Amino acid sequence: MSQPDIPPSPWGRPRKRPVPVRHPLTRDRIVDAAFTVLDREGYDGLSMRQVAAELDVAVSALYAHVSGKDELLELMYHRLFEGVELPAPDPARWQEQVKDYMRAGRARLREHRDMARISMSQVPFTAELLPHVEQLLAIIRSAGLPDRVAALAGDLLSVFMEGFTLEESIWQERYRDMDEESWNAMRSEIQEYFASLPPDRFPNLVAVAGLMADESNDYRFELGMEIIIRGLASYVGEK
Amino acid sequence: MSQPDIPPSPWGRPRKRPVPVRHPLTRDRIVDAAFTVLDREGYDGLSMRQVAAELDVAVSALYAHVSGKDELLELMYHRLFEGVELPAPDPARWQEQVKDYMRAGRARLREHRDMARISMSQVPFTAELLPHVEQLLAIIRSAGLPDRVAALAGDLLSVFMEGFTLEESIWQERYRDMDEESWNAMRSEIQEYFASLPPDRFPNLVAVAGLMADESNDYRFELGMEIIIRGLASYVGEK
DNA sequence: TCTCCTTCTGAACACTGTTCACGATAAAGT
DNA sequence: ACTTTATCGTGAACAGTGTTCAGAAGGAGA
């Protein structure tokens, strides 16, 4: 089961040695608690002290298992990728496979409040994540894209997925403590606002006002993917 | 012209004081100081106290002009858009116009350290920014894209621009305090690292290793824009 | 000169991430 | 069984954060 170790990336931050603990505090338990706090308090309320409190433990105890908050965030980010299945590349279905990869990513980001914010400040090039990068790259390269496009496509797709989900979650967070009623009021207010802009100065915004305040994020995400993939597909066969 | 300081005699009444408030605090001066601090200390070092110190003023003075740090960040974000020229849409050149818009955005983000991080957590839908959104939308709609695509295109393009620049700046920041030499060492190390991955498990990463560690960010940005625009262009005429 | 009013100050509050000398505790050695 | 030893967790402290608020300073108007 144990594969040969992937050498640690030179830019990754040095880890604390994984000391086998008999009992309680482990990195995993800390990460679990961190997610609990994140979901309850949001990103701005995610503090080492809150995590420690969640575990009924002194703050300083955390630092024996985790080098600091940065590493904790990194570990949370890694959680995102745990247990995702990586299908074998099927050149005939590369577009659908890419979309599935993106959909899965967005879904996982949405599982935890403010997760997109954490994800955005991480660079997915640590050793643990290489298999996923490799897999996406495999799917894209199997489609017959030129290497210079393939090398960028992963970034492009990830940036869209994370950025889109981040924007989604910012809106969501902004109206977090609003009841259904005032949220609907707000929505129609926004729509009215766009529609009521001076049409001579904002003709285009007014024209698409209905579409912009439309809340079908799923559709918008699908369309965004389709646009990018069409762009990628236009390079198939090029050198 | 300031006079040389005479130490106050301990028995005398406290003199009226050192910093004459020649011209008063304004939002603009505060934002200026914030940028100075940002460039010197980075995002994590951008604190209200540092900004106040930059202006030789007590922290609490800031709160008379700015509701809090959030608003300060928003004002900084608005600065980004000040003085950008908005060309009249020319349907024949829409692709180049979109690219120019993106290039300008990236350039402005790169003018200040960590600016991409600030930008990423802002949603460009405040009243001051509407003309810019309108303008980009005008260019896109002039190209003959269906409205549902046009309504998303602005988001898609912005997300790419900001996300790309953010990733750029994360790398840049990570190796901020490195001299030229150790940075080159690091670069070849990274390239070696990718090339030295077990080829049976990471055939695709190994294959494009050279391209990934390639540092021509400008080229990658151009290519990314081209991909998205090709995707958009594929919708021209569709309904 | 006296009052009003705006602008700025100083101190305080409740937090934050991180470090470190110190105890408790359980395993290992005798 | 008793002692040693090493590890894990504690509590307190440090230096910093955003924000608030009573009050002082200074100029304008009466």
Side-chain angles (χ1 to χ4, degrees), chain A residues 118-193:
Chain A
I118 295 177
S119 151
M120 251 301 166
S121 52
Q122 302 285 333
V123 185
F125 275 90
T126 55
E128 293 91 330
L129 268 39
L130 284 184
H132 298 88
V133 180
E134 164 71 16
Q135 193 61 16
L136 181 57
L137 196 56
I139 294 170
I140 292 166
R141 292 226 311 158
S142 82
L145 295 174
D147 276 354
R148 69 180 208 287
V149 175
L152 181 62
D155 258 26
L156 180 51
L157 292 165
S158 305
V159 159
F160 169 68
M161 189 214 81
E162 294 182 22
F164 184 95
T165 313
L166 174 64
E167 199 172 307
E168 246 184 324
S169 85
I170 289 179
W171 282 105
Q172 199 172 322
E173 205 63 26
R174 185 168 292 197
Y175 303 121
R176 166 156 215 88
D177 27 53
M178 261 191 174
D179 50 10
E180 187 79 15
E181 191 180 351
S182 49
W183 195 76
N184 281 331
M186 166 66 84
R187 256 178 45 76
S188 59
E189 220 176 310
I190 291 180
Q191 232 153 355
E192 257 180 62
Y193 174 72

Side-chain angles (χ1 to χ4, degrees), chain A residues 188-231:
Chain A
S188 59
E189 220 176 310
I190 291 180
Q191 232 153 355
E192 257 180 62
Y193 174 72
F194 273 109
S196 77
L197 289 174
D200 52 321
R201 293 177 54 204
F202 302 102
N204 295 284
L205 271 174
V206 172
V208 301
L211 292 167
M212 301 210 78
D214 193 352
E215 143 233 38
S216 59
N217 277 326
D218 291 347
Y219 173 72
R220 284 161 41 85
F221 186 68
E222 292 293 323
L223 183 53
M225 287 195 297
E226 182 63 29
I227 292 171
I228 295 177
I229 286 182
R230 284 203 194 185

Side-chain angles (χ1 to χ4, degrees), chain B residues 83-134:
Chain B
V84 293
E85 49 186 74
L86 303 171
D90 174 1
R93 292 195 345 108
W94 73 272
Q95 304 199 2
E96 206 47 47
Q97 286 189 311
V98 166
K99 286 183 181 176
D100 281 343
Y101 183 89
M102 306 265 282
R103 291 190 191 107
R106 171 161 172 257
R108 284 181 114 88
L109 282 183
R110 286 160 54 106
E111 265 170 28
H112 291 104
R113 184 176 165 193
D114 279 341
M115 196 57 209
R117 266 169 84 180
I118 294 177
S119 152
M120 251 300 164
S121 52
Q122 301 284 336
V123 184
F125 274 91
T126 54
E128 293 93 328
L129 267 39
L130 282 184
H132 297 89
V133 180
E134 164 71 16

Side-chain angles (χ1 to χ4, degrees), chain A residues 49-81:
Chain A
R49 280 177 164 86
Q50 287 286 329
V51 173
E54 189 67 30
L55 292 162
D56 254 316
V57 136
V59 215
S60 43
L62 302 179
Y63 287 83
H65 303 261
V66 152
S67 75
K69 196 183 183 184
D70 285 352
E71 197 188 16
L72 179 52
L73 293 176
E74 192 180 310
L75 291 174
M76 296 174 78
Y77 179 62
H78 284 172
R79 261 296 167 78
L80 273 187
F81 294 83

Side-chain angles (χ1 to χ4, degrees), chain A residues 24-42:
Chain A
L25 221 43
T26 65
R27 287 157 86 98
D28 273 335
R29 283 192 56 217
I30 293 176
V31 174
D32 288 340
F35 273 113
T36 305
V37 173
L38 181 67
D39 287 331
R40 188 185 341 114
E41 317 275 359

